[in-house]
Amino acid sequence: MADSAVKRLEERIAYELLLIAALVGLALVQITLLPSPLEFPPALVLVVVLCRVLVGSRSLQIDNGVDGVIRWAFYGGLGLDVFSTAPFGSHALALVVATSLIALLTRRLQIEGFLLPAVAIPVGVLVYETILALIYALTVAPLEWQSYAGWVILPGMVAALVIMVPIFALMRWFIVQRG
Amino acid sequence: MRDYLNDPSLKLRKERSAAATSRRPVVLALLFSALALALLLLSSSGMLGPTRGLAQQALGPVAQTLTAMRDGLGDLFGGFGSGQLQAENEALRQQVSQLEAELLKRNQAQVENIYLRQQLAIQQEKPWKLLGAEVTVRSSDAGRRVMTIARGSDNGVQVGMAVIGQTGTNPAALVGIVEAVGPATADVLLITDFGSQISARVIHDEDSTLGLVRGQWQRGSRLKLEVDRDSAVAIGDAVVSAGLSGTLNLPMPLASVPANIPIGTIEAINSDSYTQVAELRPYVDPDRVRYVWLILP
């Protein structure tokens, strides 16, 4: 009995470490590998986490629902924080808040196809970038919000929508394959 | 435990479940948000600096390799479809760049002869010592322009040092200021970041005007220059660092920025009742540099 409890704990810890490694790796891919046609790479970690939320109703085999998604957001955010000059925790906070909000807003919606992510992803980017902007405004310098919206938030939404299509399709296919 | 994602779902605008909702996800979201906020506050007070430095050191080699892979792929795809036009374009750019560099040098010399002879003499006695560094990572944040370089306090890097770079055939020019230093890496705040402020000197005919260069998000003209409304400035004027804090030996982060580092040229000028704000195009696009040099004091 005790052995099986220890084994479960070990499995749990191993799973958690694997999850952290995967999400830090994803953050590294965003920072280093993704092209930057808009002078910054698309928010890959945010899009992956939000897509995971949106396909979540069928994906209980992968993780345990909203609880798991919030952990994804937190670990991915910490990965982004390592190579950022914003205070450590900024990206984790922005990702957790954006993910939680989208999860709570969409939890009772089930729309097949790309309509739901096409609406939810830009909203997620808006929340994410606004939180980061607030942190910048408090810790770096006053922001010109109109300029920030025009040159950072809107292009960020477009870039996120572009990468959302293959990521969402891949995740949904994966869920379907797993039955 | 109840799982929200496994709740009976609603068709949009069709049904609505009357089932009571669990508070667990909300509690978890609040818990992780509070944890992130606590990290943020600890980091703001400087307590997490060493931890982040260690993490950067551990992940740095991987990040540097991946960045080099991306740059290599960029070169590969950039090479397609260009051919002779690209070569001619490159040659013309080189000519323009050389002329610009000569013009800037001559204008600078004129101004220095009139106003800065003594200061220049001192600077010539102490030529810059350069330390080369590879760019490890560029910030992935849409709102920031920051990069990490593979040199740190172990190599003598200090906060406030000026960082110069060169892309293509452009003259070497200021790309940023060292903002934070770890043992083996340093964060460089690029001049195009919205938080960057550099004292600058505009060279106009045989005169020069002091101003402040700030970063901005706009593509194209990436910098803006604020000068007094009555100051004589014109499109095409060259802008160099003023090095004021260095001259005055102030205990500020910018105290290590020498004077006369080329920054960019004026592209457009907008005036209001108090100031003139000029659009400034940097000589070197800080987002494109892969190797930089730190100016050692």
Side-chain angles (χ1 to χ4, degrees):
Chain A
M1 190 77 174
D3 282 350
S4 86
V6 169
K7 194 178 175 186
R8 276 204 303 273
L9 182 64
E10 284 175 349
E11 284 174 358
R12 180 79 190 168
I13 291 171
Y15 172 80
E16 213 63 22
L17 290 175
L18 199 66
L19 186 63
I20 291 171
L23 284 154
V24 169
L26 193 68
L28 265 180
V29 168
Q30 175 179 327
I31 295 166
T32 60
L33 270 185
L34 285 191
S36 308
L38 301 171
E39 300 189 358
F40 54 84
L44 176 68
V45 176
L46 176 70
V47 172
V48 167
V49 173
L50 290 184
C51 285
R52 168 67 184 84
V53 169
L54 298 173
V55 297
S57 59
R58 294 179 179 179
S59 63
L60 295 179
Q61 298 91 337
I62 296 176
D63 208 334
N64 55 344
V66 173
D67 303 3
V69 176
I70 291 172
R71 294 201 324 276
W72 281 37
F74 186 72
Y75 299 149
L78 291 184
L80 292 173
D81 279 324
V82 170
F83 284 106
S84 165
T85 51
F88 199 82
S90 305
H91 293 83
L93 179 66
L95 268 168
V96 167
V97 173
T99 305
S100 306
L101 196 68
I102 295 300
L104 293 174
L105 287 176
T106 61
R107 65 189 174 180
R108 294 189 177 283
L109 303 177
Q110 186 179 12
I111 303 173
E112 295 295 331
F114 286 85
L115 178 61
L116 188 56
V119 175
I121 297 284
V123 173
V125 173
L126 176 67
V127 174
Y128 173 76
E129 293 292 358
T130 303
I131 291 170
L132 285 179
L134 283 170
I135 294 170
Y136 299 152
L138 289 172
T139 59
V140 182
L143 277 184
E144 293 173 18
W145 284 94
Q146 195 176 350
S147 175
Y148 189 86
W151 295 99
V152 175
I153 296 180
L154 284 178
M157 287 178 176
V158 173
L161 278 175
V162 170
I163 62 166
M164 173 273 288
V165 175
I167 291 171
F168 185 76
L170 191 69
M171 277 193 172
R172 204 171 53 169
W173 173 83
F174 184 67
I175 298 304
V176 170
Q177 291 301 307
R178 293 189 61 147
Chain B
M1 184 191 84
R2 179 171 184 173
D3 192 324
Y4 269 107
L5 292 178
N6 206 25
D7 279 351
S9 58
L10 278 181
K11 298 290 183 188
L12 189 61
R13 299 188 196 93
K14 286 184 180 174
E15 301 169 17
R16 183 169 292 275
S17 168
T21 55
S22 163
R23 290 181 181 171
R24 183 182 163 86
V26 178
V27 171
L28 270 172
L30 289 174
L31 191 69
F32 275 99
S33 298
L35 193 56
L37 201 59
L39 286 173
L40 204 151
L41 293 173
L42 284 173
S43 175
S44 297
S45 63
M47 293 176 71
L48 294 179
T51 311
R52 180 186 269 183
L54 284 174
Q56 282 186 352
Q57 207 169 339
L59 295 172
V62 181
Q64 197 170 341
T65 306
L66 293 174
T67 303
M69 279 172 60
R70 178 181 63 181
D71 291 343
L73 283 173
D75 287 346
L76 188 67
F77 289 114
F80 291 141
S82 47
Q84 192 180 353
L85 278 178
Q86 192 180 23
E88 287 175 8
N89 194 15
E90 190 71 14
L92 288 171
R93 280 173 186 270
Q94 194 166 359
Q95 283 179 10
V96 170
S97 171
Q98 282 171 354
L99 290 171
E100 275 183 353
E102 283 172 19
L103 187 64
L104 176 62
K105 197 175 174 183
R106 205 171 71 175
N107 287 345
Q108 273 183 256
Q110 284 176 342
V111 172
E112 285 157 3
N113 281 336
I114 298 169
Y115 296 108
L116 300 170
R117 191 187 300 263
Q118 188 177 4
Q119 183 183 331
L120 185 66
I122 294 169
Q123 286 165 353
Q124 283 174 339
E125 282 176 14
K126 299 176 181 175
W128 297 341
K129 283 190 290 184
L130 299 179
L131 173 68
E134 275 190 85
V135 176
T136 310
V137 168
R138 297 181 191 90
S139 172
S140 70
D141 296 337
R144 298 303 307 274
R145 292 288 179 269
V146 183
M147 66 185 181
T148 304
I149 57 172
R151 297 281 191 181
S153 56
D154 293 347
N155 309 106
V157 179
Q158 296 168 7
V159 171
M161 281 182 173
V163 180
I164 59 173
Q166 192 166 25
T167 52
T169 54
N170 291 319
L174 187 69
V175 295
I177 307 292
V178 175
E179 190 181 49
V181 181
T185 59
D187 293 332
V188 178
L189 182 72
L190 302 181
I191 54 173
T192 44
D193 187 86
F194 80 99
S196 166
Q197 296 184 11
I198 307 285
S199 63
R201 190 176 293 281
V202 186
I203 299 170
H204 179 76
D205 295 333
E206 294 187 350
D207 200 355
S208 77
T209 304
L210 287 175
L212 189 66
V213 173
R214 296 172 188 267
Q216 62 179 355
W217 287 293
Q218 276 84 348
R219 287 153 194 84
S221 295
R222 311 284 304 287
L223 302 169
K224 61 182 176 184
L225 169 77
E226 294 172 9
V227 291
D228 199 58
R229 191 177 62 121
D230 301 325
S231 301
V233 293
I235 291 172
D237 283 353
V239 179
V240 299
S241 65
L244 289 181
S245 47
T247 307
L248 298 172
N249 200 24
L250 296 174
M252 295 165 57
L254 292 180
S256 302
V257 180
N260 296 328
I261 306 175
I263 297 177
T265 54
I266 292 177
E267 279 196 330
I269 300 169
N270 304 307
S271 299
D272 61 22
S273 47
Y274 300 105
T275 57
Q276 290 184 90
V277 178
E279 301 282 325
L280 192 64
R281 180 177 289 278
Y283 286 117
V284 174
D285 183 350
D287 289 334
R288 302 279 176 265
V289 293
R290 299 173 189 180
Y291 197 87
V292 294
W293 294 270
L294 294 116
I295 299 178
L296 300 175

